[in-house]
Amino acid sequence: IFKYYRSDTEKRDFVSGGAAAGVAAAFGAPVGGVLFSLEEGASFWNQSLTWRIFFGSMVSTFTLNIFLSLIKGNFGDLSNPGLLNFGRFQNTNYSWFELPIFILMGSFGGLVGALFNYLNIKLTKFRNRYVENKILNIFECLLVASTSAVIGFLLSFFVNKDCQPIGRDLVSKYPVQLFCDDGQYNAMSGLFFQTPENSLRSLFHNPLGSFNPITLGAFCVAYFFLAVWTYGLAIPGGLFIPSLLTGAAWGRLAGLGMSYFFTSLHVDPGKYALIGAASTLAGLLRMTLSLTVILTEATGDISLGLPIMFSVLAAKLTGDMFNEGIFDMHISLSGIPLLDWEPPATTEKLNIQDVMSHPVVVLKEKETVGHILHILNKTHHNGYPIVDESQASDSTHFGLLKGLILRHQLITLLKKNCFLNNDLLLKPKDFREYYPRYIDIKSIHIDDCYRNYELDLRPYMNLAPYSLTEDSNLPRVFRLFRGLGLRHLIIVDKRNNVVGIVTRVDLARYRAHVGLTNTVVTELKVTK
Amino acid sequence: IFKYYRSDTEKRDFVSGGAAAGVAAAFGAPVGGVLFSLEEGASFWNQSLTWRIFFGSMVSTFTLNIFLSLIKGNFGDLSNPGLLNFGRFQNTNYSWFELPIFILMGSFGGLVGALFNYLNIKLTKFRNRYVENKILNIFECLLVASTSAVIGFLLSFFVNKDCQPIGRDLVSKYPVQLFCDDGQYNAMSGLFFQTPENSLRSLFHNPLGSFNPITLGAFCVAYFFLAVWTYGLAIPGGLFIPSLLTGAAWGRLAGLGMSYFFTSLHVDPGKYALIGAASTLAGLLRMTLSLTVILTEATGDISLGLPIMFSVLAAKLTGDMFNEGIFDMHISLSGIPLLDWEPPATTEKLNIQDVMSHPVVVLKEKETVGHILHILNKTHHNGYPIVDESQASDSTHFGLLKGLILRHQLITLLKKNCFLNNDLLLKPKDFREYYPRYIDIKSIHIDDCYRNYELDLRPYMNLAPYSLTEDSNLPRVFRLFRGLGLRHLIIVDKRNNVVGIVTRVDLARYRAHVGLTNTVVTELKVTK
């Protein structure tokens, strides 16, 4: 069953769809979810993929809403937003002179994000080196949890006893009293110990005066460092909520400053909290279109779309001067050979010969079972060029290119004992049978008496694998990999003799980051 | 100046940006504009292109809002939407049992759209054949204009005198009295003779009873056929408004039906008008994500996002059973070799040899000026493979592939008299100088005495042009063209000898439309 879906392409599409549906449900943002998935994951803009993902997101939002309406007791009311609901902003007006302020806030968010990414990557490197075994992992998690709790209590008690009369907090029904007199609640511990969704909504919607500036400042700094520490722990945890909360705190602080200095303006600090949250998130992730849509959908009102856009773009542009987005940095740190969007600028002078692997392990059109077994056991390549070795075969030229056969094809051919009868042709579905957990070569045992049987590879090989001549420069190779989603590319000389092979890993090693003043080309360490 | 922008890629990006900015300003939908441009135009999802287009759309919306606020007299109020404003819906609630109705309406919109596309394409073919000269064009425009006016008057007077008391129309300050008593206005002529924006808003927002069902039905049918006739006239005119109006009319009619049969529900016909408008537009264009976002942004409220999504998707799925979107059909009718997203299914059995052009016009590494001039005058190809003809050159093999040189490079070389001194190398910027209006070969006159001078093409040729072996099948060629945006691909045999060349036009000829019951492969007639 589901044979149609047994391919890498389909797997990728399903991953995209899942990511989109998740974001759609979390923020009640079906369009934003699709854009998030495309902006972060896709190389191609594919109409049919787009509408399928879109459909998935819609169904996800719809299902969530049905269940939410059941829980809330009014079945069929589908106007619930997602799980994380920002609440509706009462006052969505803004004046043109506030836009430059929003842009400034965006830039600041970019700085905050760049700092977050820098610190978190340093920490992750440290963690990769020293916190390796599972017990240490658990210990670290416990340490983070207890530190967070202790800091929350200490701040609530010592730094600033921000007691507010009950009723000022419009969001929580039961605010936290902690250390405060009866009839009051502690704003600082409210931020720390409520659900993050409630804290966020308090920051967005509570009236002027419901947070002391010192509370906001202390919370924002403490939460920022705790978030840096938490992201990358051996637990499933996100980035969205911590960065939104940090941003909302300093954004509200900025709003308080505005209302203090320009008393006549009647500034709503909640709006500034939203802009701060958007800027910080964009500073971390460096996405523009999708974040704007997600945040706009989460607030349920598009009037604030333009300010969000301006601040998100400012955050991206500012942050990009210092480093990359947090996801990109983590991807390159974990050694996944993901190609950049554009060929790294400095690779233009590199020749294909500097990058390609050689000598190449090649096979003939007809090979003995013994040789194939030997090759499969000795090497772990994904594909083997098939050549006519009678032609120009020496230490740098490996014969005329005839085709390409994949490792899993060879293993399947051996497994099915095809060498016994070369006329018995396997069908494509026979090869698909073991997808995606192809058989390991170790598990195949073939009797020694068959070692000299010949296997005819011609019916199975790819007759026209993509190849390039050795004169090509690296950006050209790069574009071919990126454009076609290749995994390996055979390099030939002018006479179509195999001289090397370039894999995605060879290529992804060369990454460049164009910074403010300098360009760094780093060689990626790729996980095996 | 602006040398950096002198390339086809940049030109394409600017076109995308312009389209996005236009939609952004028209509907006040910056995000929708970006998506429209990407969904209709882009092959790649490119992060940097996305945020640049996004920035452009934002600036466009912002500038428009500044000017609108000036015109309306309250400078700095940026909460104006775009030029076409749908107005705010007062009542945006809907119940779960309305969703299936919205989906049904979406399917009906898909049918309407498919009929529109079918009729319009028939008409366009007729028009291409018989309405060729400019006078006929003008005459047809006049005919359409007068017919539209006459039909409007006739319907207002004869079919149905739908007189409503003034004040019922919430949108227009000065409704059309035409044929009605004092204190009344004519709803039918209001639909026809107000600005379309006002008619649309009347259909969306006027209370129950302000339109007679017969008015709506007659208007919808008449307007549909007028719109079919109008689109494709020799005037700049759009599709959005007519299809939105037609859809809003039958949608409102459906809403009236609902309120008639289910009196207890208090159905708001305006909401149904919106769904009808969305379905019809989606039925014509077959876009999903971008239309949803544009319409949501134009209504200024995301509560109706989910119903819009469902109807838009239903419209696309229904319409796709019959034909393609109107833009795609017009593109293929006008013979522009635009490649589909996926290789046409039925091309799998076609071999590359069936498609490629041969014999190929090739050049040697050093050619005489006379021969180059002869070739350039005789042929109009865009690129010429450079070969070593001493190798295996016969009627089907044209020598060993060495490189590729472009037509405009050859012309520039001749223009600059490079044959006088082959050591004087031109720089890339010399070739870019004439972009995008390259010199015509006709305008180059070279004295006969230079005809035997030799031009060394080696410094300029592309050393590693993309090539494929002749065994490749068509889908593979297709993916190479689509993935890399190629214009020509050289076909070689196993020994790297040139045997043919495939151009984008060769490939675009094979288009397939998978219909409900049958699959049609058509050969596109390409404009020269």
Side-chain angles (χ1 to χ4, degrees):
Chain A
I1 48 160
F2 300 130
K3 273 180 203 155
Y4 175 71
Y5 298 113
R6 292 202 166 193
S7 80
D8 280 348
T9 322
E10 290 294 330
K11 202 159 75 176
R12 273 198 293 266
D13 290 0
F14 268 90
V15 171
S16 305
V23 175
F27 293 91
V31 176
V34 175
L35 291 179
F36 181 82
S37 168
L38 290 176
E39 195 166 355
E40 190 58 37
S43 326
F44 287 93
W45 177 272
N46 183 322
Q47 264 179 330
S48 87
L49 175 63
T50 306
W51 81 251
R52 282 190 282 172
I53 297 184
F54 187 36
F55 185 72
S57 298
M58 268 170 48
V59 172
S60 155
T61 314
F62 178 74
T63 317
L64 178 78
N65 265 315
I66 288 280
F67 278 98
L68 277 185
S69 72
L70 273 175
I71 292 170
K72 291 187 181 164
N74 45 355
F75 174 73
D77 172 20
L78 301 181
S79 41
N80 290 300
L83 291 172
L84 178 76
N85 175 12
F86 286 2
R88 226 163 229 283
F89 282 80
Q90 294 306 321
N91 169 17
T92 57
N93 291 327
Y94 57 94
S95 307
W96 60 271
F97 58 80
E98 284 180 276
L99 278 183
I101 298 167
F102 294 151
I103 293 175
L104 272 183
M105 288 177 71
S107 302
F108 184 70
L111 292 179
V112 172
L115 182 64
F116 185 102
N117 295 359
Y118 173 78
L119 293 176
N120 186 264
I121 287 294
K122 284 268 169 209
L123 182 71
T124 309
K125 282 182 184 161
F126 175 84
R127 197 175 269 155
N128 285 347
R129 192 168 304 159
Y130 298 107
V131 193
E132 280 202 325
N133 70 55
K134 285 188 182 169
I135 307 216
L136 275 178
N137 276 337
I138 294 174
F139 180 73
E140 198 196 357
C141 293
L142 293 176
L143 189 65
V144 170
S146 49
T147 312
S148 304
V150 168
I151 287 183
F153 270 104
L154 288 180
L155 285 181
S156 307
F157 189 67
F158 283 113
V159 176
N160 179 39
K161 246 185 185 165
D162 188 2
C163 293
Q164 303 276 351
I166 280 182
R168 227 182 214 177
D169 188 87
L170 304 172
V171 177
S172 322
K173 270 188 201 152
Y174 311 104
V176 193
Q177 189 182 347
L178 208 71
F179 310 127
C180 284
D181 294 337
D182 285 353
Q184 294 190 323
Y185 72 93
N186 191 322
M188 174 69 99
S189 48
L191 285 178
F192 265 107
F193 299 116
Q194 287 177 52
T195 61
E197 189 193 356
N198 270 351
S199 306
L200 201 54
R201 280 201 271 176
S202 306
L203 286 169
F204 284 166
H205 302 299
N206 279 1
L208 200 63
S210 53
F211 290 101
N212 190 311
I214 300 172
T215 307
L216 291 174
F219 171 77
C220 158
V221 172
Y223 211 80
F224 174 81
F225 286 105
L226 286 173
V228 169
W229 193 8
T230 309
Y231 185 69
L233 275 184
I235 46 163
L239 266 178
F240 274 74
I241 300 290
S243 54
L244 286 174
L245 259 179
T246 312
W250 67 253
R252 195 174 172 101
L253 196 60
L256 290 186
M258 283 291 291
S259 69
Y260 182 79
F261 289 111
F262 305 96
T263 32
S264 60
L265 291 182
H266 304 293
V267 165
D268 172 18
K271 212 161 53 192
Y272 283 79
L274 178 67
I275 298 296
S279 312
T280 311
L281 188 57
L284 261 77
L285 303 186
R286 310 290 160 77
M287 298 187 199
T288 52
L289 194 63
S290 53
L291 284 191
T292 305
V293 177
I294 290 174
L295 293 173
T296 312
E297 284 186 296
T299 54
D301 196 317
I302 67 167
S303 322
L304 286 171
L306 206 64
I308 292 179
M309 281 175 218
F310 273 106
S311 53
V312 162
L313 258 180
K316 185 200 163 53
L317 292 178
T318 310
D320 275 353
M321 288 181 196
F322 299 99
N323 47 30
E324 292 178 278
I326 183 93
F327 291 154
D328 293 323
M329 289 177 89
H330 270 273
I331 285 170
S332 91
L333 196 66
S334 54
I336 295 162
L338 189 85
L339 296 184
D340 278 340
W341 296 98
E342 298 287 333
T346 43
T347 55
E348 226 156 276
K349 279 160 205 156
L350 280 175
N351 205 302
I352 207 167
Q353 280 132 336
D354 308 328
V355 180
M356 71 187 189
S357 310
H358 62 112
V360 184
V361 182
V362 295
L363 293 170
K364 289 196 293 272
E365 291 180 331
K366 289 183 175 183
E367 279 286 1
T368 59
V369 171
H371 185 65
I372 294 178
L373 274 174
H374 173 70
I375 292 283
L376 286 177
N377 276 312
K378 205 185 61 178
T379 64
H380 294 91
H381 302 168
N382 235 317
Y384 300 90
I386 290 178
V387 297
D388 183 353
E389 281 192 340
S390 65
Q391 311 273 339
S393 173
D394 55 45
S395 64
T396 54
H397 296 76
F398 306 95
L400 188 69
L401 180 63
K402 287 284 188 179
L404 179 85
I405 195 147
L406 298 175
R407 182 184 182 83
H408 80 87
Q409 287 180 308
L410 288 174
I411 293 180
T412 310
L413 288 172
L414 292 179
K415 173 88 183 174
K416 300 246 173 196
N417 294 331
C418 293
F419 46 86
L420 296 179
N421 181 358
N422 271 317
D423 295 331
L424 191 76
L425 289 184
L426 292 189
K427 298 204 182 67
K429 80 172 169 57
D430 297 321
F431 289 107
R432 219 150 43 212
E433 191 176 310
Y434 301 107
Y435 180 87
R437 269 171 294 277
Y438 293 123
I439 315 159
D440 191 66
I441 184 65
K442 300 267 180 305
S443 70
I444 289 183
H445 299 285
I446 288 171
D447 222 54
D448 269 355
C449 61
Y450 296 124
R451 294 190 76 89
N452 288 324
Y453 276 62
E454 271 205 337
L455 192 55
D456 188 355
L457 302 177
R458 280 175 302 178
Y460 308 109
M461 70 185 185
N462 176 353
L463 279 172
Y466 290 113
S467 63
L468 264 190
T469 53
E470 51 190 336
D471 302 313
S472 318
N473 61 2
L474 213 52
R476 160 150 268 165
V477 180
F478 193 96
R479 271 184 219 108
L480 204 63
F481 269 81
R482 199 78 178 89
L484 302 172
L486 295 188
R487 290 203 163 166
H488 25 61
L489 178 69
I490 300 167
I491 309 300
V492 294
D493 68 1
K494 280 263 171 267
R495 307 213 129 272
N496 212 16
N497 289 313
V498 175
V499 296
I501 195 162
V502 174
T503 62
R504 183 169 273 254
V505 176
D506 293 329
L507 215 57
R509 256 191 276 142
Y510 294 92
R511 334 192 104 233
H513 174 247
V514 182
L516 194 58
T517 52
N518 57 337
T519 299
V520 194
V521 180
T522 46
E523 271 209 24
L524 182 74
K525 278 194 192 116
V526 177
T527 46
K528 288 296 171 190
Chain B
I1 49 160
F2 299 131
K3 272 179 202 154
Y4 175 70
Y5 299 114
R6 291 202 165 193
S7 81
D8 281 348
T9 321
E10 290 293 331
K11 200 158 78 178
R12 274 198 292 267
D13 289 359
F14 269 90
V15 171
S16 307
V23 175
F27 293 92
V31 175
V34 175
L35 290 179
F36 181 82
S37 170
L38 290 175
E39 193 164 357
E40 190 57 39
S43 324
F44 287 92
W45 179 273
N46 184 321
Q47 264 180 330
S48 88
L49 175 63
T50 307
W51 81 251
R52 282 190 283 172
I53 298 182
F54 187 36
F55 185 73
S57 299
M58 267 170 48
V59 171
S60 155
T61 315
F62 179 73
T63 316
L64 178 78
N65 266 313
I66 288 279
F67 278 98
L68 278 184
S69 72
L70 273 175
I71 291 169
K72 291 188 182 163
N74 45 355
F75 174 74
D77 172 21
L78 301 181
S79 40
N80 289 299
L83 291 173
L84 179 76
N85 175 12
F86 286 1
R88 223 162 234 284
F89 281 79
Q90 293 306 320
N91 169 17
T92 57
N93 291 328
Y94 57 93
S95 309
W96 60 270
F97 59 80
E98 285 181 274
L99 277 183
I101 298 168
F102 294 150
I103 292 174
L104 272 183
M105 287 176 72
S107 301
F108 183 71
L111 291 180
V112 172
L115 182 65
F116 186 102
N117 294 359
Y118 174 78
L119 292 176
N120 186 266
I121 285 295
K122 286 268 171 215
L123 182 71
T124 308
K125 282 181 182 160
F126 176 84
R127 197 174 269 154
N128 284 347
R129 193 169 303 159
Y130 299 107
V131 193
E132 278 203 328
N133 69 56
K134 286 189 181 169
I135 307 215
L136 275 178
N137 275 338
I138 294 175
F139 180 73
E140 198 196 358
C141 292
L142 293 176
L143 189 67
V144 170
S146 49
T147 313
S148 304
V150 168
I151 288 183
F153 270 103
L154 288 180
L155 284 181
S156 304
F157 190 67
F158 282 112
V159 176
N160 180 39
K161 245 188 188 165
D162 187 4
C163 292
Q164 302 276 353
I166 279 183
R168 225 180 216 181
D169 187 86
L170 304 173
V171 177
S172 322
K173 270 188 199 153
Y174 311 104
V176 192
Q177 188 182 346
L178 209 73
F179 310 128
C180 284
D181 295 336
D182 285 353
Q184 293 190 325
Y185 72 92
N186 190 321
M188 175 69 98
S189 48
L191 285 180
F192 265 107
F193 298 116
Q194 288 176 51
T195 60
E197 188 193 354
N198 269 351
S199 307
L200 200 56
R201 279 201 272 176
S202 306
L203 287 168
F204 284 165
H205 301 299
N206 279 0
L208 201 63
S210 53
F211 291 101
N212 190 312
I214 302 173
T215 307
L216 291 174
F219 170 77
C220 159
V221 171
Y223 211 81
F224 175 82
F225 286 105
L226 286 174
V228 169
W229 193 9
T230 309
Y231 185 69
L233 275 183
I235 46 163
L239 266 178
F240 273 75
I241 300 290
S243 53
L244 286 174
L245 259 179
T246 312
W250 69 253
R252 196 176 170 98
L253 196 61
L256 290 185
M258 283 291 292
S259 70
Y260 183 78
F261 289 110
F262 305 95
T263 31
S264 60
L265 289 183
H266 305 293
V267 165
D268 172 16
K271 212 159 54 192
Y272 283 79
L274 177 67
I275 298 296
S279 312
T280 312
L281 187 57
L284 261 78
L285 303 187
R286 308 291 159 74
M287 297 189 202
T288 50
L289 194 62
S290 53
L291 284 190
T292 306
V293 177
I294 290 173
L295 293 172
T296 312
E297 283 187 298
T299 53
D301 196 316
I302 67 167
S303 322
L304 286 171
L306 206 65
I308 292 179
M309 280 175 219
F310 273 105
S311 53
V312 161
L313 258 180
K316 185 199 164 56
L317 291 178
T318 311
D320 275 353
M321 288 180 195
F322 299 99
N323 47 30
E324 292 178 279
I326 182 95
F327 290 154
D328 293 325
M329 290 177 89
H330 271 272
I331 284 171
S332 90
L333 197 66
S334 54
I336 295 162
L338 189 85
L339 297 183
D340 278 339
W341 295 98
E342 297 286 333
T346 43
T347 54
E348 227 157 274
K349 279 159 204 154
L350 280 174
N351 205 301
I352 207 167
Q353 280 131 336
D354 308 328
V355 180
M356 71 186 187
S357 310
H358 61 111
V360 184
V361 182
V362 293
L363 293 172
K364 289 196 292 275
E365 290 179 332
K366 289 183 175 184
E367 280 286 1
T368 61
V369 172
H371 184 67
I372 294 179
L373 273 173
H374 173 70
I375 293 282
L376 286 178
N377 275 312
K378 205 184 63 181
T379 63
H380 293 91
H381 303 168
N382 236 317
Y384 300 90
I386 290 178
V387 297
D388 182 353
E389 280 192 341
S390 64
Q391 311 272 343
S393 173
D394 56 41
S395 63
T396 53
H397 296 77
F398 306 94
L400 187 70
L401 179 63
K402 287 286 188 180
L404 179 85
I405 196 147
L406 299 175
R407 182 182 184 82
H408 81 88
Q409 286 180 307
L410 288 174
I411 294 180
T412 309
L413 288 172
L414 292 179
K415 174 87 181 172
K416 301 245 173 196
N417 295 330
C418 292
F419 45 87
L420 294 180
N421 180 359
N422 270 319
D423 294 331
L424 193 75
L425 290 183
L426 292 188
K427 300 203 182 68
K429 80 174 170 61
D430 296 320
F431 290 107
R432 218 149 46 213
E433 192 177 309
Y434 301 107
Y435 180 86
R437 270 171 293 278
Y438 292 122
I439 315 159
D440 192 66
I441 185 66
K442 299 269 181 303
S443 70
I444 289 186
H445 299 289
I446 288 174
D447 222 54
D448 267 356
C449 62
Y450 295 123
R451 292 190 78 89
N452 287 326
Y453 275 62
E454 272 206 334
L455 192 55
D456 187 356
L457 301 176
R458 280 176 300 178
Y460 308 111
M461 71 186 187
N462 177 353
L463 279 172
Y466 290 115
S467 63
L468 263 189
T469 54
E470 52 190 337
D471 302 314
S472 318
N473 60 1
L474 213 53
R476 162 150 266 168
V477 180
F478 194 95
R479 268 183 221 111
L480 205 61
F481 269 80
R482 199 81 179 87
L484 302 174
L486 293 188
R487 290 203 160 165
H488 25 62
L489 177 70
I490 300 166
I491 309 300
V492 294
D493 69 1
K494 280 265 171 258
R495 307 213 130 273
N496 212 14
N497 289 314
V498 176
V499 296
I501 195 162
V502 174
T503 63
R504 183 168 273 254
V505 176
D506 294 329
L507 214 57
R509 255 190 279 142
Y510 294 92
R511 336 191 105 235
H513 175 246
V514 182
L516 194 56
T517 52
N518 57 339
T519 300
V520 193
V521 181
T522 47
E523 271 209 26
L524 181 73
K525 278 192 190 119
V526 177
T527 46
K528 290 295 174 191

